[in-house]
Amino acid sequence: MRLSRTPLLLALASPLWLAACSPSTPPPADTAAADPAQGPATAIPEGRPTPGDTVPSSGLSPDAVTAGSPAPDAAAPAAGDAAAATPATSANGDVRQRIEQVLGDAAQYETVFNAFQKAVNGGDRAAVVEEVRFPLNIANGARITGPGEFQRNYERILTPAVRKAIAAQTFDDVMVNQQGVMIGDGQVWLNGTCLDQACSRTEVKVVTIQ
């Protein structure tokens, strides 16, 4: 017996039509909570930044220092000890320590420096000669062989510019390296020489004026 196709098609299409028209299942209120690997969801209060936002640090970075405040490890000088924190006192210790490390006896360098400066400032040529080692290096690679030649060329060697540099220099601010102690911008150099084979004794003198 031949069946009509229309009732059969209607019977098959009805369940499909009902499924298409039925509302979809609503998503879970919190997808993160549905994933056990993510752990329980945490609600973010209103106004709090989300994980993608830049969050400013609540404290200062290690390099940030409030203007006028001392560094965390720096002790403020006690009342009456302000001089101990002045740059001059700091440089004083640094210069002598540097001389001891690189050249030797800092006290001897200071003694010669003071004697030479006093002699030059006072125009005492004989006293100046006492602080000079010969042969003496002078400008343009020339050398002075002895006290007599030095005295004859005194004004040419100790020019007004050189004397000015000597007068302005303080021992606390001298530059120190392996070449010796420098006065000014290199107008005068002091250095020591060994007096015995073991170099247990040294003599410091002015070795260059230029």
Side-chain angles (χ1 to χ4, degrees), residues 120 157-167 183 187-188 209-210:
V120 172
I157 299 169
L158 283 160
T159 64
V162 172
R163 293 199 301 270
K164 182 179 179 180
I166 295 169
I183 295 177
Q187 285 89 344
V188 179
I209 304 176
Q210 56 190 1

Side-chain angles (χ1 to χ4, degrees), residues 16 65 74 77 104 106 122 127 129 132 152 158 164 200:
L16 296 175
V65 179
V129 170
V132 172
R152 290 192 298 272
L158 283 160
K164 182 179 179 180
S200 59

Side-chain angles (χ1 to χ4, degrees), residues 69-187:
S69 65
D73 296 331
D81 291 338
T86 60
T89 302
S90 176
N92 184 333
D94 290 345
V95 163
R96 288 161 180 78
Q97 183 179 11
R98 175 69 174 162
I99 292 174
E100 293 285 348
Q101 291 174 345
V102 177
L103 301 171
D105 186 2
Q108 187 177 180
Y109 277 88
E110 186 170 9
T111 298
V112 173
F113 171 90
N114 290 333
F116 179 73
Q117 185 180 60
K118 180 180 179 181
V120 172
N121 291 344
D124 188 342
R125 298 189 179 192
V128 170
V129 170
E130 291 297 320
E131 306 305 328
V132 172
R133 179 182 303 130
F134 297 99
L136 172 71
N137 300 311
I138 61 171
N140 301 318
R143 305 184 99 186
I144 299 296
T145 59
E149 186 180 4
F150 180 84
Q151 293 287 15
R152 290 192 298 272
N153 294 277
Y154 187 91
E155 297 293 340
R156 184 170 67 88
I157 299 169
L158 283 160
T159 64
V162 172
R163 293 199 301 270
K164 182 179 179 180
I166 295 169
Q169 183 70 61
T170 62
F171 188 76
D172 293 337
D173 295 326
V174 295
M175 195 275 284
V176 181
N177 63 24
Q178 293 181 345
Q179 297 179 14
V181 168
M182 185 181 82
I183 295 177
D185 295 324
Q187 285 89 344

